[in-house]
Amino acid sequence: MVSSPHEAMHRIFQEYPGLFSRVSEVLGVDIPPPTSAVALPTDLTEARPVERRVDTLLRIETEHEGSFLLAIEAQGKKDPRKTAGWPYYVSYLHNRYALPVLLLVVCQDHATAEWAARPVSIGVRRWQTLTLSPLVAGPHNMPVITDVAEARKDLALATLAAITHADNPDVGAILKTLSAALRDAPETIANPIVELTAQGLGNRSAAQQWRNLVAVDLSFYKSFMSEEIRDEGRAKGLAESVLLVLQARGITITDEIRERIGSCDDSRLLLRWLNRAATATTADEVFTDE
């Protein structure tokens, strides 16, 4: 099953095709800046009943050096099937479009990034017929952006950097910087970044930090996901309040009751429980008529 971080790590290039120009600079690769970029079909399946699909595929136009294809793969862990398939992707795309092809792999952990960066060779010991050298973006080379002014200069790069550093011990400072940089951004710019960041953090602990930041720092944005994030923040706060009231009143809270309250994401229901907690004589009375 495809995870939300997987989707965010390549979908961000669909939202911001020019992002690759800045990423290539970070990776130390001299790629001419694009004048335009067009998303192409990602299905690489042939007539044979074998489906092969690249995550994101862009046709990049440059002013002086023509066009090239950028295939982007989001990689969450080591997968030998991918290193077997990537040469096929590149060869197929080169044959189909008759254009140079670059493969960019985006990772969120050092071990996967190191694995993905290894050249893939096809041939025999004395002669390699084909050698594939992917570009890899991950926590080992993406910038740690904790300066608000720097983040504002390139919000797309700051977002990708935050996603690739999802497991960084300083991710809280990284996310705080990104949320601060978004405060003055128009809603049409901020909303996709709010959503992509939440998606990219997946179920990591950093995801809750981002939800809390959105609920407080970006409370004026009104996208579907940002509303959902704020609702989750409100529900979490209400659940903690119910437990605190019961505890302060000396009422016994079993693990089962603690789990029931803590896992509830219905703010209206939690508010009813909070009102009842103020007068209940047992924890069970909080759930009367539910």
Side-chain angles (χ1 to χ4, degrees):
M1 182 177 179
V2 175
S3 66
S4 59
H6 176 278
E7 288 297 288
M9 283 192 289
H10 70 86
R11 194 165 68 84
I12 189 172
F13 289 91
Q14 297 177 19
E15 296 285 342
Y16 309 100
L19 172 60
F20 177 66
S21 178
R22 279 92 75 191
V23 171
S24 66
E25 291 179 12
V26 172
L27 300 182
V29 181
D30 184 17
I31 303 295
T35 55
S36 66
V38 177
L40 300 176
T42 59
D43 191 347
L44 310 184
T45 308
E46 297 184 279
R48 296 175 299 166
V50 178
E51 182 176 335
R52 293 182 174 91
R53 191 178 299 274
V54 70
D55 288 333
T56 285
L57 180 62
L58 301 175
R59 176 173 176 148
I60 305 291
E61 305 290 340
T62 68
E63 186 174 359
H64 301 295
E65 298 187 30
S67 308
F68 67 91
L69 299 181
L70 176 63
I72 302 159
E73 285 281 283
Q75 199 63 37
K77 61 182 179 181
K78 300 177 185 179
D79 185 351
R81 294 173 300 176
K82 285 302 185 76
T83 51
W86 288 341
Y88 169 85
Y89 294 172
V90 171
S91 298
Y92 176 88
L93 291 169
H94 183 266
N95 182 65
R96 177 176 177 179
Y97 292 97
L99 289 172
V101 183
L102 286 177
L103 172 64
L104 173 67
V105 183
V106 185
C107 308
Q108 287 180 297
D109 68 90
H110 290 271
T112 303
E114 182 180 359
W115 163 82
R118 296 172 185 166
V120 180
S121 296
I122 298 175
V124 296
R125 183 171 61 88
R126 294 182 179 276
W127 189 265
Q128 298 302 317
T129 305
L130 173 66
T131 300
L132 173 69
S133 299
L135 290 171
V136 177
H140 64 299
N141 56 14
M142 284 291 99
V144 175
I145 300 177
T146 55
D147 180 81
V148 176
E150 183 182 356
R152 283 196 181 114
K153 289 178 183 177
D154 197 331
L155 289 170
L157 181 62
T159 303
L160 179 65
I163 291 171
T164 55
H165 286 290
D167 294 320
N168 189 307
D170 295 325
V171 69
I174 296 170
L175 296 175
K176 181 66 176 176
T177 299
L178 181 58
S179 70
L182 289 173
R183 286 176 192 164
D184 298 327
E187 186 173 330
T188 53
I189 293 175
N191 281 340
I193 290 177
V194 167
E195 296 178 16
L196 279 166
T197 305
Q199 189 177 31
L201 297 174
N203 58 5
R204 293 170 168 83
S205 58
Q208 187 57 53
Q209 296 182 57
W210 181 243
R211 286 174 168 80
N212 294 341
L213 286 167
V214 170
V216 177
D217 291 354
L218 306 176
S219 58
F220 46 89
Y221 288 119
K222 300 293 182 183
S223 73
F224 171 79
M225 185 171 288
S226 60
E227 283 297 300
E228 181 182 47
I229 289 170
R230 283 194 287 277
D231 287 343
E232 290 178 8
R234 294 189 194 105
K236 185 174 183 293
L238 285 169
E240 291 174 350
S241 296
V242 174
L243 293 170
L244 284 172
V245 168
L246 291 174
Q247 184 177 351
R249 299 187 63 239
I251 294 175
T252 301
I253 305 172
T254 65
D255 290 341
E256 181 181 357
I257 288 175
R258 187 178 298 276
E259 171 64 22
R260 181 175 180 181
I261 295 172
S263 61
C264 181
D265 58 4
D266 186 332
S267 296
R268 292 184 180 179
L269 179 58
L270 284 164
L271 188 58
R272 289 203 298 271
W273 290 353
L274 181 59
N275 289 331
R276 292 173 188 164
T279 58
T281 57
T282 68
D284 287 332
E285 290 182 14
V286 171
F287 309 116
T288 303
D289 300 329
E290 301 299 348

